Amino acid sequence: MHPGGPTNPNVVLIEFVTVRIETWNTPGQIIPDPTKGLWAAVLTRDGGGWLCAGTTQEAPFNPR
């Protein structure tokens, strides 16, 4: 908590909306394909939730 409360002019609220996550999540079965290298899975958000969009090895996530 901030001592001056939410109306204190020294308080700033920054809100982030995540649209892409790079992750390994073994219990959730979001893991890289070990035959293609150990790259993080890339999830992107759409209206219905999170979708697997590839890995960090693939374009456009790894511009070479």
Side-chain angles (χ1 to χ4, degrees):
M1 291 295 215
H2 297 282
T7 59
N8 183 326
N10 293 316
V11 173
V12 176
L13 172 66
I14 300 173
E15 183 177 349
F16 293 92
V17 176
T18 305
V19 294
R20 183 178 113 188
I21 298 173
E22 297 176 9
T23 186
W24 285 19
N25 180 340
T26 305
Q29 299 300 310
I30 302 170
I31 54 175
D33 181 346
T35 65
K36 297 180 181 176
L38 297 176
W39 301 89
V42 177
L43 305 178
T44 56
R45 184 191 306 249
D46 77 354
W50 293 96
L51 300 172
C52 185
T55 69
T56 53
Q57 180 184 25
E58 302 164 345
F61 310 114
N62 185 3
R64 294 180 188 185

